[in-house]
Amino acid sequence: MAQGAGPGLRLLPVLLQLLGLPAAHGNSTGSDSLYVSEYFSQSAQKLSFYSWYGNAKVFHFHVPEDTVLLRWLLQASRGKEPECTSMEVTVHFRYGAPPVINPLGTQFPANATVHPSYNISITLSSAVQNTTFVNVTSPAAGDWFIAAHLPEAAGRIEVKGFSTPCTYMFQADMFVLRLADMPVLEPGVAMPQTIISPAKPLHVKVFVPKYTARMWFELRSCMTSEQKACSVRVVLGSITLPQSFQKIITCTGNVNCSLGLDSLPWEKWLQIMVESLGTANTSVSVEVLTSFTDCRPGSTSSFLNFSLNQSQAGSGLGSTGTAGSPTQSTGMALRNASEQRSFCLQNQPVVREDLDVVSVRYRLLNGPAVPVYSISPTLLLLNLKTGMDSGGSLVVNLLLNKTSLSQANATVVACLSAASPVLSLNTTRKCSTAFFQGYPLSVSTSSAEAMVIVLYPQTDDWFLSLQLICTKGQGECNTAEAKVTIIAYLTPCFNDCGTYGQCSLLRRHGYLYAGCSCKAGWSGWSCTDDTKAQSVGAQNLATLLLTLSNLMFLPAVAVAVYRYYLVEASVYTYTMFFSTFYHACDQPGVAVMCIMDYDTLQYCDFLGSVVSIWVTILCMSRVKKILKYVLFVLGTLLIAMSLQLDRRGVWNMMGPCLFALVIMIAAWVYHGVKRRHCYPSSWKRWVFYLLPGITLAFIAISVYAFMETNENYYYTHSIWHVLVAGSVAFLLPPRDKHKKPWAWSQKLTCRYQICQNDREELYAVT
């Protein structure tokens, strides 16, 4: 993460004044609280038109603890070229993971739950640069992500070098204002505090321990400095985008104000802000009190058991009892209803196995099937806190064993949530925690399988809670048990982007994340949207067009052989072969055949195309043979080097063409001066061969450079093949007059004096 620390303390007042941030706030004693300003920046990135997630430029920042104000400085700029027009830059924000965006309105995979991202638009019209500020008060501490992109791509295939596209740049800077001495609330201890003015709210924090079931917040003894009834607003929690679930209560008068919260984030600091709603010069004194209700967990296994079982049984995952631990089976222990009531949840230990980058598998110690009861929920912890786990897709699959459930009307309700576990599940309660919205699942005898896909899960501990619910009352389920097989894993791309997609690992400033690049008209997050997909017949037709159109080189090869241009014929055969199999391997659908590595086929195709043009123009120049073959070899070597440096550069083709044309024109001028008339001298040569060949070549270049798009590529590029091959057949010069066609039989026999002399010398030696 490329972030730089901000200015020193001496520059803080100037920086705060420029940003319009307060320099200090009062605390309970009337003195000034210490606010620290920090600045983080990342280098500017070049924006791209959007066709898939890889076109979005992602910025990754980390917001420190105790931050009370976050300000984004967003700078978008464009070049000054004439091609630059008004453009709209879309910027997305999200806490905990990269934003899940859908600018094209495509479909997401089934069972994927998506929250719309928070976004703004920055317009670049007449101004070359646009600067925008975005403020977030009381932001959540941790990873924050910004993604920026241009509108949808036009789909036109640009030839590198033919046009100069406009450059659009985007840079994001982050300013944070954090409180260095934020008061800490101790549970069960009332803390008196003073709010000096409405412009200077009170910030306190409390630590939520692990296994906390409920927190009770109370604000009491509220009184103004003028001994009047006070009016304050209390905000619990921090802002998280795209959705925020802060709890806000308004307290008026001297009556105590209280709020109870369930399912809080474990082992995190909870921010509480109290601001006065009274007049400007009136201070307010309050007492803040918090208390927690603990949750007693019950565990069916331990990591010590797992370690001993692993050492004794290799890869066994049983829950055999060890010394000092109960030896009775898990199922028998949990069937006792009285023992279940003594616990508020049942822990199921989970082992995290890192397989690869953004690839994790979760293994349950007691096997993939876990028991689920009605008295208390079964809880699984899925660790996604490494900082790199948010760039993939979290998949959780539940499968109910129907034979294990005796109650036909019972349902296993599950909730997958981040940071906070849900400790009470029923049919009416939504799958939500104190500050987050979870992902609900349910399985029953009628629907025994359920799946949820979380795209780009936020960096945190994730909890899966399961509980057995009976529709006619929980009394029926007291002794019931359900066996649910749980499969949970983190994958870079769900289903590996399917048949018509490619999973690509992307990197921005050291942060790794994955995205799907779709083909054959398929689209969507995981390439599951077939709205514009090509049928198998259309894919086969496209493959046949791009491959069989290369057979138009056969007339050019035949003409070259007939006119005794064997080197040129070999080059055309090479080009035809590799162009055919390159396009057979390059197809996006199912009609694909690769006889060798794709990169090798592509390089050979490009090399053959340029060298074919090179040797054709040199052949037309009618230079001496020794010079022609030297230029053949030397030019081919230079073209091979140029293609290795930049395979798609326009000058790889234009450079050899122009140089060969200069040689040809010079040679034609020389021949014309020497013969004292125009060269080539025959008007039939110009009318029936040169002009049609030049016309076909110019049409081919126009189609290649200006008409190809992603949608018509199969047709326009096939036309390019036909036109280029046809122009070669027309442009090849006639054979030398002293050579007869198909005269190889004379060469194979010994009819020349030099051959006879060699034979006589051989006889003489022997």
Side-chain angles (χ1 to χ4, degrees):
M1 183 170 58
Q3 296 183 353
L9 293 178
R10 293 183 179 180
L11 297 179
L12 288 181
V14 178
L15 179 62
L16 295 177
Q17 184 177 4
L18 291 175
L19 296 176
L21 302 178
H25 288 279
N27 61 11
S28 59
T29 62
S31 61
D32 289 338
S33 297
L34 178 59
Y35 280 83
V36 179
S37 178
E38 296 181 4
Y39 166 67
F40 301 90
S41 178
Q42 290 186 355
S43 60
Q45 298 189 47
K46 183 180 178 181
L47 295 178
S48 302
F49 290 93
Y50 192 89
S51 61
W52 69 295
Y53 200 89
N55 299 130
K57 306 304 179 183
V58 175
F59 297 81
H60 179 201
F61 292 95
H62 187 82
V63 176
E65 293 281 353
D66 302 338
T67 298
V68 296
L69 179 60
L70 164 64
R71 172 167 288 188
W72 301 104
L73 172 60
L74 310 177
Q75 302 178 69
S77 61
R78 63 176 176 87
K80 299 180 180 179
E81 297 83 1
E83 295 83 1
C84 296
T85 58
S86 298
M87 192 60 60
E88 188 175 80
V89 181
T90 305
V91 186
H92 305 262
F93 301 84
R94 189 186 176 193
Y95 165 73
V100 179
I101 62 178
N102 189 18
L104 306 182
T106 55
Q107 298 177 6
F108 286 92
N111 303 315
T113 305
V114 181
H115 298 296
S117 65
Y118 174 79
N119 63 81
I120 63 171
S121 296
I122 302 176
T123 303
L124 291 171
S125 54
S126 58
V128 178
Q129 183 172 346
N130 190 334
T131 302
T132 304
F133 292 94
V134 176
N135 293 335
V136 181
T137 57
S138 300
D143 294 333
W144 282 78
F145 292 84
I146 295 178
H149 61 84
L150 297 175
E152 180 181 358
R156 182 165 168 255
I157 300 177
E158 299 282 351
V159 180
K160 186 177 180 181
F162 269 103
S163 61
T164 304
C166 182
T167 301
Y168 299 92
M169 303 295 294
F170 180 81
Q171 182 175 358
D173 298 334
M174 183 180 74
F175 302 90
V176 296
L177 188 70
R178 63 183 182 88
L179 189 58
D181 57 348
M182 185 177 292
V184 178
L185 297 178
E186 296 184 9
V189 179
M191 174 181 288
Q193 294 287 324
T194 301
I195 308 172
I196 294 180
S197 68
K200 300 177 180 180
L202 169 68
H203 295 275
V204 295
K205 64 179 180 179
V206 60
F207 186 77
V208 181
K210 195 174 184 179
Y211 298 116
T212 296
R214 183 179 177 84
M215 187 191 81
W216 186 260
F217 171 82
E218 188 174 359
L219 186 74
R220 58 192 185 186
S221 302
C222 184
M223 185 176 297
T224 65
S225 58
E226 300 175 353
Q227 303 298 320
K228 295 182 180 179
C230 66
S231 178
V232 296
R233 187 178 67 160
V234 182
V235 180
L236 291 89
S238 304
I239 289 182
T240 57
L241 298 177
Q243 292 178 312
S244 187
F245 298 89
Q246 287 180 310
K247 305 300 180 184
I248 302 175
I249 55 175
T250 302
C251 305
T252 305
N254 297 323
V255 182
N256 293 344
C257 223
S258 60
L259 177 66
L261 293 176
D262 297 323
S263 301
L264 285 94
W266 286 354
E267 298 184 299
K268 293 186 184 306
W269 289 99
L270 176 62
Q271 283 197 29
I272 303 174
M273 182 182 69
V274 184
E275 56 181 349
S276 174
L277 302 178
T279 57
N281 298 323
T282 303
S283 63
V284 178
S285 61
V286 294
E287 281 189 357
V288 182
L289 177 66
T290 57
S291 59
F292 295 101
T293 301
D294 297 333
C295 169
R296 182 186 174 191
S299 180
T300 61
S301 181
S302 68
F303 284 94
L304 177 61
N305 293 348
F306 176 70
S307 301
L308 293 176
N309 292 333
Q310 288 287 82
S311 62
Q312 294 174 4
S315 60
L317 295 175
S319 56
T320 307
T322 60
S325 62
T327 57
Q328 59 181 345
S329 66
T330 300
M332 292 298 294
L334 292 181
R335 288 180 191 278
N336 191 331
S338 61
E339 184 176 350
Q340 291 181 42
R341 291 190 182 95
S342 64
F343 303 117
C344 69
L345 62 89
Q346 299 293 333
N347 260 337
Q348 288 289 337
V350 179
V351 177
R352 172 189 167 114
E353 294 183 355
D354 291 276
L355 304 178
D356 205 339
V357 179
V358 201
S359 182
V360 178
R361 180 175 61 184
Y362 297 96
R363 179 181 297 178
L364 279 68
L365 267 65
N366 298 326
V370 299
V372 181
Y373 305 94
S374 63
I375 302 300
S376 59
T378 301
L379 186 66
L380 286 77
L381 169 63
L382 307 178
N383 182 2
L384 290 173
K385 297 181 67 174
T386 65
M388 290 294 178
D389 299 328
S390 56
S393 298
L394 177 63
V395 182
V396 177
N397 192 7
L398 306 182
L399 182 61
L400 174 65
N401 186 352
K402 297 181 180 181
T403 59
S404 66
L405 187 59
S406 58
Q407 297 290 336
N409 295 326
T411 302
V412 175
V413 180
C415 179
L416 180 65
S417 57
S420 313
V422 176
L423 303 179
S424 177
L425 291 165
N426 52 50
T427 55
T428 58
R429 181 187 176 93
K430 295 182 179 180
C431 177
S432 60
T433 62
F435 303 108
F436 295 97
Q437 176 63 48
Y439 304 91
L441 301 95
S442 63
V443 289
S444 61
T445 53
S446 58
S447 179
E449 186 174 1
M451 175 187 289
V452 64
I453 306 168
V454 183
L455 308 175
Y456 290 165
Q458 70 183 55
T459 301
D460 218 322
D461 282 332
W462 284 73
F463 297 91
L464 179 63
S465 304
L466 303 97
Q467 195 165 358
L468 189 62
I469 305 297
C470 287
T471 56
K472 295 183 179 180
Q474 289 298 96
E476 298 181 358
C477 295
N478 285 340
T479 58
E481 175 189 86
K483 288 284 188 178
V484 179
T485 299
I486 300 175
I487 301 174
Y489 58 92
L490 178 72
T491 181
C493 302
F494 175 69
N495 199 24
D496 200 24
C497 299
T499 306
Y500 298 96
Q502 180 180 0
C503 184
S504 301
L505 195 62
L506 309 171
R507 182 174 64 181
R508 291 290 183 271
H509 295 295
Y511 175 76
L512 296 175
Y513 59 104
C516 287
S517 176
C518 307
K519 50 191 178 181
W522 290 73
S523 58
W525 189 269
S526 298
C527 301
T528 55
D529 189 346
D530 59 351
T531 305
K532 300 180 180 179
Q534 295 179 355
S535 63
V536 177
Q539 296 174 30
N540 292 328
L541 176 62
T543 303
L544 291 175
L545 284 175
L546 288 171
T547 54
L548 297 183
S549 59
N550 288 283
L551 296 179
M552 283 299 297
F553 274 97
L554 287 176
V557 173
V559 171
V561 171
Y562 177 78
R563 297 177 180 177
Y564 215 72
Y565 297 122
L566 301 183
V567 175
E568 290 81 350
S570 302
V571 173
Y572 301 151
T573 304
Y574 175 94
T575 303
M576 178 181 64
F577 177 84
F578 281 103
S579 180
T580 299
F581 287 100
Y582 164 65
H583 286 292
C585 184
D586 186 50
Q587 294 312 298
V590 295
V592 179
M593 184 183 70
C594 298
I595 62 173
M596 58 181 67
D597 181 66
Y598 173 83
D599 188 70
T600 303
L601 290 172
Q602 186 187 66
Y603 182 83
C604 293
D605 173 54
F606 286 18
L607 177 64
S609 301
V610 180
V611 173
S612 296
I613 300 174
W614 171 253
V615 299
T616 301
I617 300 177
L618 287 179
C619 184
M620 295 170 60
S621 64
R622 290 285 195 172
V623 296
K624 292 184 178 181
K625 283 188 177 181
I626 184 64
L627 179 59
K628 182 177 75 170
Y629 293 135
V630 168
L631 291 175
F632 277 4
V633 175
L634 183 59
T636 301
L637 294 176
L638 292 176
I639 291 170
M641 179 197 68
S642 177
L643 289 174
Q644 183 64 29
L645 295 175
D646 186 6
R647 190 170 300 180
R648 295 187 178 274
V650 65
W651 285 106
N652 291 329
M653 181 178 294
M654 296 300 297
C657 288
L658 294 177
F659 188 68
L661 285 173
V662 170
I663 296 175
M664 184 190 73
I665 294 173
W668 283 10
V669 170
Y670 172 78
H671 292 311
V673 171
K674 186 176 180 180
R675 299 183 182 185
R676 298 183 180 277
H677 57 74
C678 182
Y679 184 86
S681 57
S682 173
W683 65 271
K684 294 181 179 180
R685 177 68 185 165
W686 282 98
V687 173
F688 296 108
Y689 294 97
L690 292 180
L691 291 180
I694 294 173
T695 303
L696 291 177
F698 273 105
I699 295 175
I701 293 175
S702 302
V703 170
Y704 179 79
F706 306 109
M707 295 180 60
E708 286 189 356
T709 64
N710 292 326
E711 295 181 356
N712 66 12
Y713 175 79
Y714 313 108
Y715 312 105
T716 55
H717 201 74
S718 300
I719 295 174
W720 152 264
H721 289 162
V722 174
L723 293 176
V724 169
S727 67
V728 168
F730 276 101
L731 293 176
L732 278 176
R735 68 178 183 273
D736 294 336
K737 295 181 179 180
H738 65 277
K739 288 185 178 180
K740 296 181 180 180
W742 314 104
W744 294 323
S745 58
Q746 300 177 3
K747 294 292 184 181
L748 296 177
T749 59
C750 216
R751 297 184 180 180
Y752 291 91
Q753 186 64 34
I754 185 172
C755 185
Q756 295 177 1
N757 294 340
D758 291 342
R759 180 177 299 176
E760 293 175 358
E761 183 180 356
L762 179 63
Y763 290 157
V765 173
T766 55

